[in-house]
Amino acid sequence: MPDSFDQNALDYHRYPKPGKLEIKATKPMGNQRDLALAYSPGVAAACREIEKDAMNASLYTARSNLVAVITNGTAVLGLGAIGALASKPVMEGKAVLFKQFADIDVFDIEIEERDPEKFIETVARMEPSFGGINLEDIKAPECFIIERALKERMGIPVFHDDQHGTAIVVSAAIFNGLRVVGKDIGKARLVTAGAGAAALACVDLLVSMGLPKENVTLTDIAGVVYSGRTDEMDPYKARYAIETEQRTLQEAIEGADIFLGLSAAGILKPEWLIKMADAPIIMALANPVPEIMPDLARAARPDAIIATGRSDFPNQVNNVLCFPFIFRGALDCGATEINEAMKIACVKAIADLAMAEPSDIVRAAYGGGELTFGPEYLIPKPFDRRLMENLAPAVARAAMESGVATRPIADLDAYRTAMHLRGYRTGMTMKPVFDQARAAPKRIIYAEGEDERVLQVAQQAILEGIARPMLIGRPEVIGNRLKDLSLTMRPERDFDLIVPCENTNFDTHWRTFYERVQRRGYAPDEAREYIRNDPTVLAATMVRCGDADAMICGVVGRFARHLKHVEEVIGTAPGVRHLTAMNAIVLPAGPLFIADTYVQSDPSAEDLAEITFLCAAQVQRFGLRPKIALLSHSNFGSHESPAARKMQEAMRLLRTRAPNLEVEGEMHANLALDAAVREARFPDSKLEGRANLLIMPNQDAANIAFNLLRTINEGGAFGPMLLGADRAAHIVTPSTSVRGLLNMTALAAVQAE
């Protein structure tokens, strides 16, 4: 990785406070009574109930939603045996994934102990604290010994994700690959490259699903695992030793239906694929470089189905498809273990979800492209929000049917609905937008190309693969700042440097600008000066001329000045009356969008209806269903002020023009965000659940609300998003962070598409 990327990663982990986790209270602690309830003497009541019945711990403590991610640091990612302490950033990262994807709380625990028996003893004694144990990054064969012993000793789920998470997602991909090519798993032949913990877990699970054990050939660094081999052997591999004259992967792969690679880069040669069976399935899962690159595999075998562990190719095999949701289901039914039935249920749920018709929301989250089951769509995307509602109930059902659920779920349909709402609440808001941008990178021009934040975000945009940056600025200034910031990107190779005084398209640009503004009091000479001296005007004009796909400005200067030029040069899209601005706050309950924060100071009812349409369409780009509330000091007609009547009229217009839009108002903000309070006040509301888009009566209300929330909320904010323009253009504010600029870059790229 470039030095600048490493530094960015270090800064990410260090600021604004070290690490990626913190602990927050879930109950109020604002007065003496709260203190008495939370601790002495009130806590004694909860303790006595748990003493009477251990099952009450799930009612009175966080244990039923608390998982320990535990390692000894002996096999950390691609870093090897770096030790427990050095592994902590990885374990914190895993904890964050549990929380983001499945709303599961995690303590990461790093134990400096290489002796398996001592490690087992240490972990087993933690059982009263946790609802489940996720073992992570423990080397083989110790991981087999540790997991087996802990499963025998502990009455809670113990799951080694490196083994079983990988196995579940791999099995789902292979299961669906066989569906696509019309082959029977009971007749398929599989060859592995790699015989470690993950590979063996994959084979074990596939065998339990019907793959004949005798149809499996393991290979590793010493070649084929055959009967009588002594080199590099252990009892776990020996279970799959076969009688064969084959000794190499090249020999073993002949006639195979499936190649499963969990080994090293480049070990599978294209010429070997020719000898595989018809329509072979190639699972090349070494990371970051697979056993064979997909383009090479495709050239050798056009009929092959190919999967990797990478996000930049179809069929990414990623454990995040599994581990958050299998734990979610296991915790919610109080499972004492994660057994084979639960794993198979998870496999089938993943496989079936890929075959399901994707909703408009899911399709929008991935750029509107086709997500049709087939050779390049074997398993769902990692950020498909339907995973929660499909996998967790399937796992819980299997736990109940197999007799390991201590708290059976009475109504699985209601549970599925709850998981649907929870899944949409916890997804990473910007990830679908980045996926869309990465699928079709655009030329993004930054007006303030010399700003340090812009230079840093340009580097990140290149690394993320979401844009080709275009920077307006002076070569010597940008060159010096690239050195000062230790950034590795270079003009022409990585980004385009636009120098106004050397603009080869100057004539086209000033004439285009003049055509747009000649009836706004500009003379030709003024138009030339603006193109030479105002980077916002130049950026907007280049977008208008098609020399750039989208623009970002506003890092320096007042929003209103930038807006004036964008309105003059870019203008509004056909059918749109006015531009509008929307900001977002990422709250624990999910993202909350607010409009109009920066553009229209006192919109009319007609304007508010248009603002609502524009913002709803943008919310859908995040893969979310817009749930809209028109806010006011009035509650459903409780006041007859002009402001209240304006919101009432906007509501009437929306009902008339978009009867299927989920919108309600006018109402107070607490009713918009609290469905129970709203139901009590107005039972006939068309809005279900919590609103995620708040339309304010004027810019004062929107801007004040956004900035108040941004100040008190630590989850993050982004915007303003400029909506309704004829081309993709965004105006940020001088307080925008590098991360905020990166988010806006991705949004600009998606809007350009």
Side-chain angles (χ1 to χ4, degrees), residues 718-740:
F718 53 93
M721 294 163 263
L722 191 65
L723 309 178
D726 195 34
R727 305 284 195 278
H730 288 293
I731 307 168
V732 299
T733 61
S735 62
T736 301
S737 65
V738 173
R739 181 66 202 180

Side-chain angles (χ1 to χ4, degrees), residues 347-587:
V347 170
K348 291 183 176 178
I350 292 171
D352 289 346
L353 180 56
M355 297 184 70
E357 179 68 23
S359 68
D360 290 341
I361 300 299
V362 174
R363 192 178 286 108
Y366 288 93
E370 286 299 315
L371 299 181
T372 304
F373 177 67
E376 295 196 342
Y377 185 64
L378 297 178
I379 51 179
K381 298 285 188 178
F383 286 81
D384 190 330
R385 289 187 175 97
R386 299 173 299 171
L387 287 163
M388 178 89 97
E389 66 190 85
N390 283 271
L391 271 59
V395 170
R397 181 189 294 276
M400 292 187 288
E401 291 176 350
S402 60
V404 299
T406 61
R407 299 190 306 276
I409 297 169
D411 187 341
L412 277 173
D413 288 336
Y415 177 64
R416 179 184 293 274
T417 299
M419 290 300 99
H420 169 81
L421 296 174
R422 202 167 191 173
Y424 275 76
R425 190 168 67 237
T426 59
M428 294 181 182
T429 305
M430 283 300 301
K431 183 58 171 64
V433 177
F434 275 80
D435 284 341
Q436 295 174 61
R438 199 175 288 114
K442 298 299 180 185
R443 299 168 299 167
I444 310 297
I445 187 165
Y446 300 85
E448 297 91 1
E450 297 176 358
D451 189 277
E452 290 186 358
R453 287 167 295 171
V454 170
L455 293 172
Q456 291 177 68
V457 83
Q459 177 88 67
Q460 291 188 30
I462 294 164
L463 292 172
E464 290 275 359
I466 62 172
R468 168 80 179 188
M470 304 176 74
L471 307 179
I472 297 177
R474 294 163 290 178
E476 64 278 8
V477 174
I478 289 177
N480 290 334
R481 288 181 180 169
L482 289 176
K483 292 178 184 177
D484 292 342
L485 295 168
S486 299
L487 299 178
T488 59
M489 65 177 185
R490 294 293 177 263
E492 295 187 9
R493 185 189 71 186
D494 304 306
F495 68 92
D496 298 316
L497 179 56
I498 310 301
V499 184
C501 63
E502 300 175 4
N503 183 0
T504 56
N505 290 330
F506 174 76
D507 195 57
T508 299
H509 291 158
W510 84 259
R511 290 182 185 281
T512 299
F513 176 58
Y514 180 65
E515 287 173 6
R516 299 288 296 177
V517 300
Q518 59 184 328
R519 292 191 177 275
R520 293 174 178 258
Y522 290 77
D525 286 346
E526 288 179 287
R528 294 187 187 95
E529 286 304 306
Y530 269 104
I531 290 296
R532 287 193 187 99
N533 298 317
D534 193 312
T536 298
V537 171
L538 177 56
T541 303
M542 290 182 66
V543 172
R544 167 58 63 182
C545 290
D547 296 333
D549 299 311
M551 67 170 287
I552 293 176
C553 61
V555 175
V556 177
R558 294 183 179 181
F559 188 94
R561 180 181 71 80
H562 294 284
L563 178 63
K564 174 179 179 288
H565 294 315
V566 170
E567 286 179 324
E568 290 173 338
V569 182
I570 301 292
T572 58
V576 175
R577 290 152 46 92
H578 303 294
L579 300 180
T580 192
M582 179 175 73
N583 284 73
I585 302 284
V586 182
L587 299 170

Side-chain angles (χ1 to χ4, degrees), residues 220 222-241:
D220 61 11
V224 171
V225 176
Y226 60 89
S227 298
R229 196 184 98 174
T230 57
D231 188 26
E232 297 285 339
M233 288 295 288
D234 59 53
Y236 307 100
K237 295 179 192 177
R239 293 183 292 115
Y240 287 100

Side-chain angles (χ1 to χ4, degrees), residues 592-595 627-629 631 669 672-673 691-696:
L592 184 65
F593 300 88
I594 300 172
K627 302 170 79 67
I628 309 159
L631 298 194
L673 301 178
N692 58 18
L693 172 56
L694 306 182
I695 303 299
M696 300 291 185

Side-chain angles (χ1 to χ4, degrees), residues 123-165:
V123 175
R125 294 186 182 195
M126 298 181 191
E127 182 171 348
S129 297
F130 299 102
I133 303 291
N134 184 92
L135 299 173
E136 194 78 18
D137 292 352
I138 301 170
K139 74 182 181 71
E142 288 90 334
C143 61
F144 303 121
I145 300 167
I146 290 168
E147 185 189 36
R148 184 177 65 245
L150 289 174
K151 290 184 73 168
E152 291 171 354
R153 289 185 57 172
M154 303 179 81
I156 57 176
V158 177
F159 187 82
H160 185 206
D161 183 49
D162 299 326
Q163 291 183 62
H164 308 300

